[in-house]
């Protein structure tokens, strides 16, 4: 369970940080969290890991990551709301050539409270898509980091060396 928790922490925190989440090209942080969890799982077990086991650990990391994302994103939204509101008010004050419809929209955005409903919606998206991509990362990592099985003792008899 520890590899899935660490992979989920990786997914949730990096996906919730404002500037870092912009760099989340092609679900890079989510796949990376699945890879991390499968790699850590492989390091804990001396036997070879199958891709299905890596996918299972990765999917679990995706679920954990969605919950971590929900908590971190909600806290960040609450902390950043006053700064975003001040920035939008400054933009509307300084923009003279903005059409009235855009000005009204910016004013409504500046006075809007952080939406918990929007976070719950994105949590659902993160839960479904995040679990799938983290499972993909886990399966790929289990294949890539797979340890070879040592040869079995008592295998086929080798002929004695020639004198």
């Amino acid at each position: 369970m520890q590899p899935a928790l660490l992979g989920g922490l990786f997914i949730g925190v990096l996906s919730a940080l404002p500037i870092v989440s912009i760099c989340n090209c092609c679900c890079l942080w989510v796949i990376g969290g699945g890879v991390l969890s499968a790699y850590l799982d492989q390091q804990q077990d001396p036997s070879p890991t199958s891709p299905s086991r890596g996918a299972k650990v990765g999917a679990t990391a995706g679920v954990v990551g969605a919950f971590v994302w929900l908590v971190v994103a909600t806290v960040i939204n609450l902390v950043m709301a006053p700064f975003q509101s001040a920035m939008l008010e400054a933009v509307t004050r300084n923009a003279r050539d903005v059409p009235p419809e855009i000005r009204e929209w910016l004013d409504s955005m500046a006075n809007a409270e952080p939406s918990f409903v929007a976070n719950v919606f994105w949590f659902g998206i993160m839960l479904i898509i995040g679990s799938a991509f983290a499972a993909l990362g886990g399966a790929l990592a289990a294949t890539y980091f797979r340890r070879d099985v040592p040869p079995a003792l008592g295998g086929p008899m080798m002929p004695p060396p020639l004198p």
Side-chain angles (χ1 to χ4, degrees):
M1 191 64 181
Q2 183 182 8
L5 291 175
L6 291 173
L9 189 65
F10 180 86
I11 292 169
V13 171
L14 289 181
S15 296
L17 294 174
I19 294 179
V20 176
S21 67
I22 294 171
C23 301
N24 194 10
C25 174
C26 301
C27 294
L28 180 65
W29 306 139
V30 179
I31 293 172
V35 168
L36 176 66
S37 62
Y39 174 77
L40 293 174
D41 185 52
Q42 175 61 49
Q43 295 303 311
Q44 288 182 349
D45 192 1
S47 64
T49 301
S50 67
S52 63
R53 180 174 165 184
K56 184 175 121 181
V57 172
T60 306
V63 170
V64 170
F67 282 100
V68 170
W69 176 88
L70 180 63
V71 171
V72 173
T74 301
V75 170
I76 287 175
N77 286 343
L78 290 173
V79 170
M80 295 298 289
F83 299 113
Q84 290 173 345
S85 158
M87 286 177 53
L88 286 171
E89 287 176 8
V91 166
T92 56
R93 247 192 341 264
N94 295 330
R96 307 265 188 252
D97 299 337
V98 175
E101 301 84 25
I102 302 294
R103 185 178 295 276
E104 288 175 19
W105 179 74
L106 287 173
D107 286 337
S108 70
M109 292 298 290
N111 297 327
E113 293 292 320
S115 174
F116 185 71
V117 174
N119 276 358
V120 169
F121 170 77
W122 286 111
F123 165 75
I125 298 295
M126 188 79 171
L127 188 65
I128 295 166
I129 294 175
S131 298
F133 277 96
L136 174 68
L140 291 173
T143 303
Y144 184 76
F145 296 119
R146 183 182 175 103
R147 291 186 181 159
D148 291 331
V149 179
L153 296 175
M157 295 291 293
M158 297 293 291
L162 295 173

